[in-house]
Amino acid sequence: MNHKQAQEEREHTAARQEQDHGDDEQETAGERQQNQIVETGSITGTKGKHVIHCLTIIGQIEGHFILPAQNKTTKYEHVIPQLVAIEQDPDIEGLVIILNTVGGDVEAGLAIAELIAGMKKPTVSLVLGGGHSIGVPLAVSAKYSLIAPSATMTIHPVRMNGLVLGVPQTLSYFDKMQERIVRFVTDNSNITPERFRELMMQTGEMVMDVGTVLDGEAAVKEGLIDELGGLSRVIEKLYELIEEKQANPDEDKAQQTEGGDAT
C-alpha cells in the first residue's frame, strides 16, 4: 500500500468513526426523550419553531395518600418540581398541559393549579377525554385553555372518602374547601361564581351524584374554557403567546419592579 492509499484509508476510517459517533449521540438523545416520557409523563420539544415542554396530567391526582398500584395516577410530588424547573429554565419558552383526569386529591390538585397559574411563561391547557372534579381548576389554571369537542368536564361539590364526623364543623370545613375551588376557577376563567355554584349543585342530571357534566361545546359556552380545539390549535396558540411575550419584554420587567416595590 503506497502513501496515497494509506492516507485515503485513514480518512475513510475517520469519517466512518465520526458518523458512528453522531449516530450514538442521536440515539442517546432519543433514549433520553424516551426515558423522560416513561419516568415523568412529559417531554421537551426542541425541533419546532419554539422550545416547549409538554406535561401530561392523567388518571387520578395522587396526593397525601398512595393509591392502589392498579390506578393510573399523576403524583403531585413529581409534577411540582417539574413546574419549578420549567419556570426557571431559560431554554423552555412555553408549557402545554394535556389533561385527561378523573380528579383526585383536592389539595394536591389545587397546589398544582396554583403553581401553573403563577407561572410567567406562556401556558396553554388542553382537555382530552375528561377534566373532571379537581381537573376543572387544573384546566383553567393555564393562561389559555382549550377542550376537545368530545371531552367532558364534571362539576360537583367536594366529596370525602372514609370516616366523616357528622358535626357542624365538618360541614363548615367542606364549605370552606369548596369556596377555595369556586374562587380559583372563577378567578381564572370567564364563568361567574353564581353560575359555577349553580352547576355544582345541579340535581337531576347525574343518577348517583349532584352536579353537572359539560361537553366541550357547553364548557366553552359557559365561559369555563376559552376555546374548542385540538393539538394543532394548542401549539398555534402557545406560539402566539410566546411571540407576544417576546415582543413585549418590558411587561415582565414592569411586573418584577412592581413586585420589588411591594416588598
Side-chain angles (χ1 to χ4, degrees):
M1 181 182 293
N2 58 36
H3 178 72
K4 184 178 180 181
Q5 288 175 326
Q7 180 65 22
E8 289 176 352
E9 182 66 25
R10 283 194 297 271
E11 290 175 357
H12 180 70
T13 301
R16 189 167 62 247
Q17 288 174 344
E18 186 175 346
Q19 183 178 359
D20 291 343
H21 180 66
D23 291 342
D24 289 343
E25 283 188 345
Q26 192 172 25
E27 185 178 350
T28 303
E31 287 174 354
R32 280 199 300 269
Q33 280 196 333
Q34 185 64 32
N35 290 336
Q36 188 180 20
I37 294 171
V38 171
E39 292 174 8
T40 66
S42 66
I43 190 169
T44 302
T46 58
K47 296 186 177 180
K49 187 177 179 182
H50 296 283
V51 177
I52 63 173
H53 189 89
C54 175
L55 176 69
T56 57
I57 298 177
I58 57 160
Q60 284 185 265
I61 310 299
E62 186 177 279
H64 303 300
F65 297 97
I66 298 174
L67 293 170
Q70 67 268 23
N71 289 35
K72 183 71 74 173
T73 64
T74 295
K75 301 178 187 295
Y76 86 130
E77 70 268 26
H78 293 176
V79 175
I80 288 174
Q82 285 186 70
L83 292 173
V84 174
I86 292 163
E87 177 73 349
Q88 64 85 42
D89 190 333
D91 294 330
I92 296 175
E93 299 172 82
L95 173 66
V96 172
I97 305 106
I98 306 293
L99 287 154
N100 188 1
T101 176
V102 295
D105 189 294
V106 172
E107 292 196 343
L110 272 179
I112 296 170
E114 287 282 9
L115 276 180
I116 294 171
M119 295 178 74
K120 287 186 178 179
K121 289 193 175 178
T123 55
V124 176
S125 66
L126 173 63
V127 180
L128 293 173
H132 307 298
S133 190
I134 199 62
V136 176
L138 286 164
V140 304
S141 63
K143 290 178 174 59
Y144 199 84
S145 58
L146 291 97
I147 185 170
S150 61
T152 57
M153 304 182 78
T154 303
I155 302 168
H156 62 70
V158 171
R159 296 176 296 194
M160 183 173 286
N161 296 327
L163 179 65
V164 177
L165 296 176
V167 294
Q169 290 89 336
T170 300
L171 297 177
S172 175
Y173 172 74
F174 277 13
D175 190 53
K176 288 177 181 177
M177 184 178 289
Q178 201 158 279
E179 278 306 303
R180 290 162 61 193
I181 295 170
V182 172
R183 185 168 60 249
F184 182 88
V185 170
T186 54
D187 284 350
N188 289 278
S189 68
N190 295 314
I191 195 169
T192 64
E194 295 75 21
R195 180 56 179 161
F196 190 73
R197 289 192 192 94
E198 184 182 341
L199 294 172
M200 185 182 283
M201 298 300 180
Q202 186 82 22
T203 59
E205 182 160 336
M206 293 190 284
V207 176
M208 301 292 288
D209 204 348
V210 176
T212 305
V213 179
L214 301 174
D215 63 15
E217 187 175 348
V220 174
K221 186 177 179 181
E222 291 287 355
L224 194 60
I225 298 295
D226 293 316
E227 184 183 336
L228 274 177
L231 180 59
S232 61
R233 176 57 184 151
V234 168
I235 302 298
E236 180 185 353
K237 183 62 184 180
L238 186 59
Y239 282 1
E240 286 176 17
L241 295 178
I242 291 170
E243 286 159 14
E244 284 175 14
K245 182 179 172 67
Q246 290 174 342
N248 300 287
D250 293 337
E251 289 185 8
D252 285 342
K253 292 179 182 178
Q255 288 176 0
Q256 289 174 0
T257 304
E258 287 173 9
D261 293 342
T263 55

